[in-house]
Every structure is written in structure tokens, then in C-alpha cells.
Amino acid sequence: EVVFAFSALENQLATHLCQAINDRTDEPGLIILHGMQFRQRVELFDRLGRALLVAFDDDLTRPANGLFGPLVAELREVGELRNQVVHANWGSIDAEGFAFVKTVMTPKGLHENRLQVDEKSLNSLVARIGAAIGQFDAYEQARDDLMVLLRSRG
């Protein structure tokens, strides 16, 4: 279910990027996005979105601008959580529902990162991904409204 929900978010991001790159055809966007991982697509989305919002930094951009930063942060976070779930060592789940994700070096030495992968946690992640899709919808609507206003300015 996590992968299914995340796929919908990933496709929404790809579609948005393709339209931002060229609003007449998806082909240039698909060529650019080919082989890019989700994290790279989020960074491209961040750069393109900031360029638009900075270029028109006035009262018109405020609604889209207010939604943009939190959306980018949430895309990064759910992308990281999805990767942890998918790449967790599911054979290492303990009695509390935690699975080994990776070993990291900290100033205090080696540390094991573990992620809770019980049903409740996974359902919570699915809901969070669904909320991110809703955030994306709200941003796209604000961005579309902004584009209409900018076009009417002449």
C-alpha cells in the first residue's frame, strides 16, 4: 500500500514537472526526467518553483509561495520514509515492529537506524503520502491561479 500511494505522488510530481518544462507536450519533460530518481525530481521541482516565485515576488505569488516550501519539505520527507520502508531489512523485525534500515557513523561511533514497520506505522505513512498529494493539489491550484493572473497582466 505504501508503494502504491507513493507511486501516485511520484506520478503527480512527474506530470507537474513535464507541464512546467513545456505546457504543450510532455516529451521534453520526459526526456529530462528519464533516469532521475524521486529525490532528484524533487530538487528540480524546488529549483523550477523557486525561480517562478522569485521572478514574480509580489502579492500575487503569496498563496503559491506559502504552499511551496512546506510541500517541498514534505516531498523530501515522504520520499526518504518510502525509501526506508522499501529498503528495510524486513527479516530483522523485532517484537516491537522495528526493522533495521542502515548503519550510520556518528561522532559517538556506529549507530543502527531502525524504522517501525508495523501495520499502524505503515498506515500512518500511507495517510501522510495521501496528505502530501492533497498539498500538491493545493499548490498546483494556487500556481495555476497565479499563471492565469500573470497572463492577464500582459
Side-chain angles (χ1 to χ4, degrees):
E1 216 174 323
V2 170
V3 174
F4 181 79
F6 189 79
S7 177
L9 178 61
E10 195 168 25
N11 286 325
Q12 185 176 22
L13 176 60
T15 298
H16 178 87
L17 287 170
C18 286
Q19 291 172 351
I21 292 166
N22 187 324
D23 62 356
R24 291 191 174 110
T25 177
D26 287 346
E27 188 173 4
L30 292 171
I31 291 168
I32 292 168
L33 297 179
H34 179 74
M36 290 178 84
Q37 295 178 349
F38 182 78
R39 181 180 304 136
Q40 295 166 314
R41 291 177 182 196
V42 171
E43 296 312 314
L44 178 60
F45 171 70
D46 186 24
R47 288 190 306 273
L48 290 173
R50 287 190 193 288
L52 172 71
L53 296 174
V54 168
F56 301 101
D57 188 22
D58 58 20
D59 289 338
L60 289 178
T61 62
R62 300 236 190 300
N65 217 345
L67 296 168
F68 184 74
L71 173 59
V72 170
E74 188 64 1
L75 290 173
R76 287 178 177 136
E77 181 68 22
V78 298
E80 180 62 31
L81 289 170
R82 175 259 178 212
N83 285 343
Q84 289 179 11
V85 167
V86 170
H87 298 291
N89 180 350
W90 286 80
S92 70
I93 297 175
D94 62 20
E96 289 84 39
F98 285 87
F100 172 79
V101 177
K102 65 181 174 181
T103 303
V104 294
M105 180 59 95
T106 68
K108 296 181 181 182
L110 289 176
H111 175 74
E112 283 189 359
N113 281 353
R114 301 180 77 73
L115 179 70
Q116 193 158 22
V117 292
D118 61 1
E119 184 177 358
K120 181 180 176 185
S121 298
L122 294 176
N123 286 338
S124 176
L125 179 55
V126 170
R128 188 168 174 183
I129 293 168
I133 290 169
Q135 278 182 269
F136 209 124
D137 289 340
Y139 168 74
E140 284 185 313
Q141 183 62 56
R143 182 188 176 279
D144 290 348
D145 292 346
L146 172 62
M147 297 308 288
V148 168
L149 288 171
L150 290 173
R151 286 183 186 118
S152 71
R153 268 192 194 177

